[in-house]
Amino acid sequence: MPGQRADVKELKARLDMISIISRYVTLVKSGTGYKAKCPFHKDDTPSMTVSAEKGLWHCFGCGEGGDVIGFVMKIERLSFIEVVRRLAEEVGLSFEAADDGARDELKSLMADVANAFARNLRSDAGEKARDYLISRGYPESCWLKYGLGYAMPGWDHIKRTFSRRGEDVLLKLGLLVQGDKGTYDRFRDRTIFPILDLSGRPVGFGGRTFDGDPKYLNSPQTPLFDKGRLMYGISWARDRMSETRAAVLVEGYTDVLSLHQAGITHAVGSMGTSLTQGQADLLKRFVEDVVICYDQDAAGSAASLRGMQILYNSGLGVRVAQLPAGEDPDGYVRTHGAEAMQAILDEALPFHRFFIESLKARHDVTTIRGKEHLLEDAREFYGSVRSAALREEIDRQIADLIGLSVESVRRELPRRPRARDPEEPIHEPAMHWGVEEHLLALVLRGQISWEKIAFEVSADDFSEANRPIARRLASGMTDLSELIGDLDEEGARRASYYALAPLEIDVDQTIEDAKRWMGQLPAIEKRLKELDPMIKRSATAEDWELWDRLAREKAELRIAWRRAKDATGEGIHEQQSQEGRSEIEAS
Ligand SMILES: [Zn+2]
């Protein structure tokens, strides 16, 4: 919100970026800025540049970058608000986000509700839930630790108990549901698992029924509870996660509790198999490696593979543990013990190996169709692999699997494009510079104003990855530090890179290129996005004629995309020869 942003802006103006960063790394003066060995990757040469004048830092080794708040967030593994509070205190500012008071009040109400659930568990009515918990291996001694509770049967226990807080607040927190004849308790006759935020305060609840459906019921999205940015058990696991730089990722509440009970205390729950980028970002603050341990039946599903890919693309090491068929982590650790569970975790397969195993399980490689399906399936994943060594390895394994030569497999799978794929996030140091990047860099460095190009291009002409930066520039946000603060982590990385990269950019050439090539990208990207599901559907329907046509269109569009994106490629060539022609014609 604007009020909060203004406060952060003032805070940044008062902070001495150089002295703060030099608490963590040794800064050496270099030109108008400073250089340092980057603390975020193994850096032998000083790859990190810090510009106090611009209020930015960027590492040209690993691609991390941003403003001073982002730096402290990264190195101290704190949230934005935690860093802002801490730094504000240092310079004698009191920083309170406008709605902080209200949030605090909501959180204390949630804590009261959690206490009420905990009391219910110990009441006469709670016997069923107590029996259930004890039978699952959660004795009374751990109820308090995990905040376990019981929601009374009937429609209005919470509603009556907290009536003086107001129905609208209880609704807002997802504790009540609006029905035709008024509001009623969301959680009724269920065992309650409070979902805690990073600092251990309840922000939502999961409730397990004793019979009937759905087996688990969660709090809905509320001002406090954002399921996509939270993991179950994160407050209990964070210390161990920081220590080991690793996490064990499971699905359910009881999976987390059983692993913690068994001493595997860096386990967190994704609350479902479909992971979000927000959850990956949260994990990244604490760990480098994640071992995924899902129910064996769910692990190979499309949703769970997508989640693993999100983690992988966020730069985390991803391994997948393989439980025996029909087992889940909770049941397995209870019947076989901590040691057996640990052995399963130790033997987890690297993501790409797991992926190949799941390809094997999904396709019949004794038939031609099966091989074609498998290759089409593999394409999806392959396009997102950044490491050349890993791609080689996958080529080899797939070749083995389907009995083709490595060369043929290579022909079938997409090569690494010269320009980045539209979906591919940047973490790599050698990022491709095309016309968009040149254009943004020029504006971010103040070499041209947005107005100068506004007649030629609009923010919507930029590819998805750069659009957030373009939109902010187009809206008149010229203050670099404000702009960076307004972007997400990926956006900040890009913007700091464009602003600080030591690269001479030809202004006139860039504007010429922009006029010629931009605006084609969004249309191409839109069609590419449409094509993927169509290709999949045609493969499922075994309509190979259609499949072939669509696959060909996709390949052509990819070439067009690269051409439009790549100002130094064929685009320039064509343009020059055309200009040559018009000169001849004119003479
Ligand atoms: Zn670095």
Side-chain angles (χ1 to χ4, degrees):
M1 82 210 46
Q4 182 176 331
R5 206 178 293 149
D7 292 344
V8 173
K9 198 174 167 185
E10 190 191 341
L11 170 64
K12 284 210 270 190
R14 289 215 207 168
L15 290 173
D16 180 354
M17 180 178 190
I18 298 303
S19 88
I20 291 170
I21 292 182
S22 62
R23 289 174 200 165
Y24 305 97
V25 295
T26 310
L27 290 174
V28 182
K29 191 105 182 81
S30 160
T32 57
Y34 292 83
K35 279 194 173 292
K37 284 189 183 174
C38 171
F40 305 114
H41 80 282
K42 211 180 147 297
D43 192 13
D44 299 325
T45 51
S47 309
M48 194 172 95
T49 297
V50 182
S51 165
E53 178 199 357
K54 291 179 169 144
L56 297 180
W57 62 277
H58 191 88
C59 170
F60 295 98
C62 67
E64 294 293 350
D67 61 8
V68 62
I69 293 174
F71 184 88
V72 180
M73 279 169 71
K74 252 198 144 27
I75 203 156
E76 296 272 14
R77 295 196 297 276
L78 294 169
S79 71
F80 175 79
I81 207 81
E82 287 167 326
V83 172
V84 165
R85 286 229 173 86
R86 182 194 280 198
L87 294 176
E89 204 171 307
E90 279 187 26
V91 294
L93 278 174
S94 90
F95 182 87
E96 283 299 324
D99 64 346
D100 253 18
R103 277 179 80 84
D104 258 3
E105 219 161 277
L106 291 179
K107 281 199 183 180
S108 80
L109 173 53
M110 285 297 273
D112 291 345
V113 173
N115 284 334
F117 285 141
R119 271 197 310 278
N120 297 343
L121 182 62
R122 291 177 162 79
S123 72
D124 288 347
E127 190 179 358
K128 230 181 349 174
R130 290 197 299 272
D131 289 348
Y132 161 74
L133 288 172
I134 290 166
S135 75
R136 295 300 290 258
Y138 315 129
E140 195 176 346
S141 57
C142 69
W143 298 349
L144 187 65
K145 183 171 169 197
Y146 303 125
L148 303 177
Y150 171 64
M152 292 291 197
W155 298 90
D156 59 358
H157 181 258
I158 291 296
K159 185 177 169 179
R160 273 186 296 112
T161 311
F162 295 94
S163 59
R164 66 195 164 77
R165 307 287 188 112
E167 239 173 89
D168 50 334
V169 175
L170 299 173
L171 268 172
K172 191 156 109 180
L173 289 173
L175 297 164
L176 298 185
V177 177
Q178 182 71 54
D180 293 339
K181 292 175 220 148
T183 57
Y184 57 91
D185 284 8
R186 176 179 301 269
F187 298 100
R188 303 178 307 278
D189 193 25
R190 282 173 186 268
T191 307
I192 294 289
F193 302 84
I195 302 161
L196 312 180
D197 65 10
L198 262 174
S199 44
R201 303 180 72 179
V203 290
F205 296 102
R208 186 191 187 280
T209 180
F210 296 94
D211 43 47
D213 275 326
K215 198 165 165 194
Y216 282 96
L217 183 68
N218 289 326
S219 288
Q221 192 88 2
T222 75
L224 294 183
F225 181 58
D226 181 357
K227 191 180 153 201
R229 295 180 177 281
L230 208 57
M231 314 213 76
Y232 181 66
I234 188 87
S235 60
W236 312 316
R238 64 183 286 181
D239 286 347
R240 183 83 184 127
M241 276 165 47
S242 300
E243 237 171 80
T244 57
R245 305 295 292 151
V248 176
L249 184 61
V250 293
E251 266 178 83
Y253 305 114
T254 53
D255 295 325
V256 173
L257 294 185
S258 293
L259 289 182
H260 277 250
Q261 285 289 92
I264 302 168
T265 54
H266 53 327
V268 287
S270 54
M271 302 185 276
T273 42
S274 42
L275 267 180
T276 66
Q277 186 60 49
Q279 289 176 316
D281 291 343
L282 178 62
L283 283 173
K284 246 201 120 181
R285 285 169 55 191
F286 301 98
V287 307
E288 281 146 27
D289 293 295
V290 177
V291 177
I292 292 168
C293 189
Y294 286 164
D295 300 6
Q296 200 48 40
D297 322 323
S301 74
S304 102
L305 279 172
R306 248 196 316 280
M308 294 175 200
Q309 233 175 78
I310 290 176
L311 293 177
Y312 189 85
N313 285 343
S314 302
L316 289 160
V318 179
R319 291 188 304 136
V320 187
Q322 304 214 277
L323 289 165
E327 292 270 14
D328 59 33
D330 172 29
Y332 191 83
V333 74
R334 273 188 292 122
T335 40
H336 301 273
E339 238 168 83
M341 186 73 223
Q342 189 58 54
I344 296 265
L345 295 176
D346 291 343
E347 283 159 22
L349 292 176
F351 177 37
H352 74 279
R353 290 246 335 263
F354 170 79
F355 178 73
I356 299 222
E357 293 294 319
S358 74
L359 283 179
K360 217 191 279 184
R362 275 204 301 277
H363 302 285
D364 175 9
V365 295
T366 59
T367 68
I368 302 279
R369 289 270 156 89
K371 291 179 188 187
E372 283 171 342
H373 276 155
L374 185 145
L375 281 168
E376 181 55 32
D377 213 354
R379 252 168 222 274
E380 292 282 308
F381 166 70
Y382 197 87
S384 71
V385 174
R386 285 189 296 273
S387 139
L390 186 52
R391 280 198 306 276
E392 294 265 320
E393 175 67 19
I394 294 171
D395 288 344
R396 227 172 29 72
Q397 293 202 13
I398 289 183
D400 274 358
L401 186 60
I402 61 181
L404 281 178
S405 70
V406 177
E407 287 67 36
S408 333
V409 169
R410 253 175 225 157
R411 267 198 301 279
E412 288 296 319
L413 293 177
R415 290 296 93 200
R416 188 155 186 74
R418 270 188 297 119
R420 256 173 302 103
D421 256 278
E423 303 92 345
E424 190 184 347
I426 54 156
H427 291 295
E428 52 187 340
M431 205 191 61
H432 175 82
W433 284 81
V435 56
E436 288 189 16
E437 286 77 15
H438 285 144
L439 212 50
L440 290 178
L442 287 175
V443 181
L444 288 168
R445 294 166 187 200
Q447 284 178 261
I448 59 173
S449 67
W450 184 268
E451 286 69 38
K452 186 166 166 70
I453 55 166
F455 288 112
E456 311 297 344
V457 296
S458 87
D460 291 337
D461 295 335
F462 284 78
S463 59
E464 242 172 74
N466 286 322
R467 212 171 295 147
I469 303 175
R471 285 225 170 105
R472 282 166 180 80
L473 290 173
S475 76
M477 201 182 270
T478 48
D479 181 74
L480 257 185
S481 141
E482 186 186 356
L483 180 106
I484 296 258
D486 204 46
L487 289 163
D488 65 4
E489 211 181 319
E490 170 68 14
R493 241 186 237 128
R494 283 175 179 270
S496 64
Y497 187 40
Y498 302 154
L500 296 178
L503 191 76
E504 290 292 325
I505 300 166
D506 185 327
V507 177
D508 295 334
Q509 182 68 57
T510 300
I511 292 175
E512 272 308 303
D513 291 342
K515 276 187 212 168
R516 186 167 168 79
W517 290 110
M518 290 192 54
Q520 298 185 12
L521 282 170
I524 297 176
E525 285 180 1
K526 182 162 166 272
R527 180 62 184 160
L528 276 171
K529 268 203 184 132
E530 288 167 3
L531 277 175
D532 277 334
M534 288 168 71
I535 291 173
K536 269 219 179 107
R537 271 200 302 277
S538 67
T540 314
E542 308 216 344
D543 182 347
W544 298 109
E545 218 171 289
L546 180 63
W547 183 86
D548 193 54
R549 195 149 45 79
L550 295 173
R552 230 176 275 234
E553 185 185 348
K554 183 172 172 179
E556 274 160 23
L557 277 176
R558 289 233 170 215
I559 294 168
W561 182 85
R562 261 168 243 162
R563 202 177 276 184
K565 178 91 184 156
D566 191 347
T568 57
E570 295 90 328
I572 303 275
H573 250 73
E574 235 175 85
Q575 186 188 340
Q576 280 168 346
S577 55
Q578 254 184 13
E579 273 169 13
R581 198 164 48 238
S582 55
E583 267 174 40
I584 295 166
E585 276 164 12
S587 57

